Amino acid sequence: MSEENKEYTVVRLRVDDDYTWIYVADGDMETAFTILTDDYFDLRITQDQVINEEQYARLEKLHAYAYGYKRALKKLSYKDHSVREIADMLAGIQNLDGVSSKRIIDTLKSSGFLDDEKLVINEIENDQIRLNGHHKTAADLADRGIDRELIDRYINRIDPATELEMGIEKAGMIVKSIRNRSHRETLALLKNRLLSAGYPSGMIPDIISALELESDEEAERANLKREFDRAMKRYANRYSGHSLKTHIYQSLYGKGYHSAEIRALLDTLREEDNED
């Protein structure tokens, strides 16, 4: 018998509510196909039936469809996913063609498991709980393949006053995590972290202003002295004289300390040198 006219025998069947298992023999080799039970009833295949190559290929496609559908459902049971994310996952499944992938996606949409609009609404709410600004929310949704028009439709509904309050709360948490820094470096870090959290650059000055952060001169001097001592330990074994002072100065100035205060500490090194 030629390959084109090759025949297979259905040796076993197991039918469940959702899935049907069809075992097909090709001589001594047996292959198990898992398909949706609804698809099985459409096939009208029975045990001991002999099927041809075309029917065998149809089983392969239905098996790939059932596998893709099951994988998609499993992913969606753990976390909401966008249409594109599910489509990308399905694209990697062997024997699953574009028509079958679209069928899976359409089925998931109609059953309510896959809904980009619901995903946008939920992610905006979740990001507000996480105190993330709308720029981060929008960027994350766009990276997941959500249509920009859909994103903007809901992002534009965010109340700026509410986002400002969120930003102030977020900034307060950030400041608590920034310890032993110069006042200038604290402000720079705060601004960068608010930007990373998705707050508009035009809103950040108002957020920072609301915190009323003031420089504590005594704490600033203590922080500077501690950083000065660390810089001395870091550079003293590699540099000396003017080169040592230059490296210490650049390190401390880069951390936001004032030039005059750094030079005052460097002068103490000059005094110690004169004493020696």
Side-chain angles (χ1 to χ4, degrees):
M1 183 179 295
S2 68
E3 191 69 25
E4 293 180 358
N5 298 320
K6 192 171 184 179
E7 294 181 340
Y8 306 85
T9 303
V10 178
V11 293
R12 279 185 294 151
L13 283 170
R14 184 158 66 90
V15 182
D16 204 347
D17 290 340
D18 297 318
Y19 296 96
T20 292
W21 291 264
I22 302 175
Y23 300 85
V24 178
D26 172 19
D28 294 332
M29 182 177 176
E30 187 176 291
T31 303
F33 296 98
T34 304
I35 69 173
L36 298 184
T37 296
D38 288 345
D39 288 335
Y40 164 68
F41 288 130
D42 290 338
L43 281 175
R44 298 182 180 180
I45 287 178
T46 59
Q47 187 164 326
D48 299 324
Q49 179 178 342
V50 176
I51 62 174
N52 57 30
E53 277 287 317
E54 183 179 345
Q55 290 170 306
Y56 189 89
R58 175 68 174 153
L59 281 177
E60 287 181 323
K61 285 189 175 183
L62 291 175
H63 175 82
Y65 174 85
Y67 176 71
Y69 182 73
K70 190 174 182 179
R71 275 196 64 185
L73 275 180
K74 187 174 182 180
K75 283 182 72 72
L76 291 166
S77 69
Y78 292 125
K79 175 185 174 182
D80 286 338
H81 288 275
S82 68
V83 171
R84 194 190 74 180
E85 287 172 330
I86 295 299
D88 288 346
M89 182 273 291
L90 294 175
I93 296 177
Q94 187 177 6
N95 293 324
L96 187 67
D97 57 25
V99 173
S100 297
S101 294
K102 185 178 184 304
R103 180 186 166 201
I104 291 173
I105 289 172
D106 289 344
T107 300
L108 293 171
K109 283 181 177 180
S110 63
S111 60
F113 291 117
L114 191 58
D115 188 334
D116 279 357
E117 186 169 12
K118 183 176 71 175
L119 175 62
V120 169
I121 294 170
N122 289 341
E123 285 305 298
I124 288 175
E125 291 178 352
N126 290 337
D127 265 2
Q128 287 181 333
I129 293 171
R130 293 188 285 257
L131 299 177
N132 286 329
H134 77 266
H135 281 180
K136 178 172 173 54
T137 306
D140 289 346
L141 289 170
D143 286 343
R144 298 175 69 177
I146 306 293
D147 180 71
R148 188 71 211 199
E149 184 178 345
L150 176 59
I151 296 171
D152 290 342
R153 186 191 314 162
Y154 285 94
I155 288 292
N156 290 337
R157 297 180 186 180
I158 297 175
D159 179 16
T162 299
E163 188 167 23
L164 177 62
E165 291 177 5
M166 290 165 46
I168 294 170
E169 185 177 353
K170 181 78 170 181
M173 296 170 60
I174 293 171
V175 168
K176 288 180 181 178
S177 71
I178 303 173
R179 298 182 182 277
N180 302 325
R181 308 289 184 121
S182 70
H183 183 66
R184 189 182 301 174
E185 187 179 18
T186 297
L187 292 178
L189 285 171
L190 177 57
K191 179 180 178 180
N192 288 335
R193 292 185 188 180
L194 286 171
L195 283 170
S196 297
Y199 288 92
S201 58
M203 182 181 288
I204 290 177
D206 292 333
I207 294 173
I208 295 176
S209 176
L211 293 182
E212 297 182 348
L213 297 175
E214 295 183 0
S215 177
D216 183 331
E217 293 184 5
E218 184 176 343
E220 187 93 346
R221 283 194 295 271
N223 290 336
L224 172 57
K225 183 60 171 65
R226 181 172 52 255
E227 291 297 331
F228 179 83
D229 292 340
R230 287 177 179 173
M232 273 291 296
K233 290 180 181 179
R234 185 161 58 247
Y235 296 120
N237 291 332
R238 289 181 284 168
Y239 306 102
S240 62
H242 177 73
S243 182
L244 172 62
K245 293 182 176 66
T246 298
H247 278 84
I248 293 175
Y249 177 87
Q250 290 174 342
S251 173
L252 298 178
Y253 189 76
K255 293 179 181 294
Y257 294 102
H258 293 289
S259 177
E261 294 174 357
I262 299 170
R263 294 186 185 282
L265 278 177
L266 290 173
D267 285 343
T268 63
L269 290 181
R270 195 171 293 118
E271 291 171 3
E272 291 173 2
D273 290 342
N274 291 334
E275 290 175 2
D276 293 340

